[in-house]
Amino acid sequence: MPAPLEGAPVWADAMFADLEAAKAFYAELFGWTYDPSAAEFGDYTQAKDADGRHVAALCPQMPGTPEGVPAAWNLYLASPDVAAAAERIKSAGGTLMMDPMRVGDFGTMVTAQDPGGVTFSVWQADAHRGFESVNEPGAFCWAEVTVREPGRTDAFFTTLFPYEAKQLPDEQVDFQVWQLGGQPVLGRMRMTEDFPPEVPSYVNVYFVVADCDTAVDTVRRLGGQLHFGPMDSPFGRFASVADPQGAAFSVIDVTRTTGEMPQLG
């Protein structure tokens, strides 16, 4: 398998105050099953889709996390050299939340924030290559850096990685697509007034579902919240939601598309 392009999304995980409750929620929503928790890595627990392929991971919040801090999904972006990426993060105005760290024989990582407060990680793969399935029900398919001040975020990420930024020519929304090798790999959306003021800038991770409306109903029934949608788009019918512990993400039915794909400027 060829190495992913530098800056491409390769993995996603989330930390929870109540890991067992999170496992139950996502098992019912996406049909996930789980590997045994890895005690030597803080009960890190990999999730599998219906075909047994690893698609994400859940784990407990770090010791010392203040009570009431909401859970959050974290996206990992590929790099052939995490140490070099960490230096670029600092020189571009970002903040390291941890120093580069070796994770067993799986790989090396660093977690950081951009100047606007977006948390993300960089992953240098070894044994753990990342997603074993994408664009299928229960699996990752897309992510958007969702921010209130896009200028600083745009400059930071296009300095950190070799993204080619393409603007969506739409007066109603400030949206960019970041491309690698001419292919879209990540989006950047400016928050609108629809976002509650207490919602910080974050990476919005999209998971595929068979039916968006049914997934939204399941989220609500299990104690989660609907933030936006469901809405039809050329990419699929999607909605932005949060799980009962506050982790925001999106669900999308990629088979239900409308209209022509937008042209990027």
Side-chain angles (χ1 to χ4, degrees):
M1 179 184 297
L5 295 175
E6 185 174 15
V10 290
W11 191 243
D13 60 21
M15 294 184 177
F16 296 94
D18 188 335
L19 177 59
E20 292 306 314
K23 288 168 61 178
F25 172 85
Y26 288 100
E28 185 155 355
L29 179 61
F30 295 140
W32 285 353
T33 58
Y34 302 97
D35 286 347
S37 296
E40 66 271 32
F41 297 110
D43 286 334
Y44 198 81
T45 306
Q46 293 197 82
K48 298 181 289 188
D49 67 7
D51 294 318
R53 297 171 296 189
H54 294 113
V55 291
L58 312 178
C59 60
Q61 287 181 333
M62 297 290 289
T65 301
E67 187 175 350
V69 172
W73 278 97
N74 181 41
L75 186 69
Y76 290 70
L77 304 172
S79 174
D81 188 336
V82 158
E87 292 303 315
R88 293 201 305 275
I89 288 169
K90 292 187 289 185
S91 64
T95 303
L96 298 184
M97 301 179 69
M98 55 173 283
D99 291 328
M101 179 180 70
R102 179 75 182 175
V103 185
D105 64 351
F106 298 109
T108 305
M109 66 174 289
V110 69
T111 298
Q113 284 188 335
D114 88 331
V118 175
T119 299
F120 66 101
S121 293
V122 181
W123 181 251
Q124 180 181 341
D126 194 351
H128 195 295
R129 308 294 294 177
F131 298 121
E132 294 179 351
S133 176
V134 295
N135 303 323
E136 298 289 341
F140 170 90
C141 73
W142 182 246
E144 293 163 356
V145 180
T146 307
V147 297
R148 299 191 185 278
E149 299 179 13
R152 293 191 299 169
T153 290
D154 294 350
F156 173 82
F157 277 100
T158 54
T159 298
L160 179 59
F161 295 115
Y163 295 140
E164 181 183 10
K166 296 289 187 179
Q167 188 75 30
L168 184 69
D170 187 337
E171 296 181 356
Q172 304 301 315
V173 62
D174 183 350
F175 187 87
Q176 285 189 357
V177 172
W178 296 341
Q179 298 182 340
L180 292 171
Q183 297 299 314
V185 295
L186 199 59
R188 192 277 295 149
M189 189 177 91
R190 182 173 187 167
M191 288 183 174
T192 65
E193 295 180 356
D194 295 328
F195 286 83
E198 67 271 15
V199 176
S201 297
Y202 71 105
V203 178
N204 183 17
V205 177
Y206 283 69
F207 294 102
V208 177
V209 292
D211 185 285
C212 179
D213 296 74
T214 299
V216 168
D217 289 344
T218 300
V219 168
R220 284 172 153 169
R221 176 172 55 81
L222 296 176
Q225 293 183 314
L226 173 65
H227 286 165
F228 177 80
M231 179 180 179
D232 293 320
S233 80
F235 307 99
R237 184 167 175 81
F238 72 95
S240 295
V241 298
D243 68 26
Q245 298 186 59
F249 62 100
S250 288
V251 291
I252 184 167
D253 175 358
V254 295
T255 68
R256 189 170 169 179
T257 59
T258 62
E260 297 181 357
M261 292 293 181
Q263 298 297 312
L264 299 174

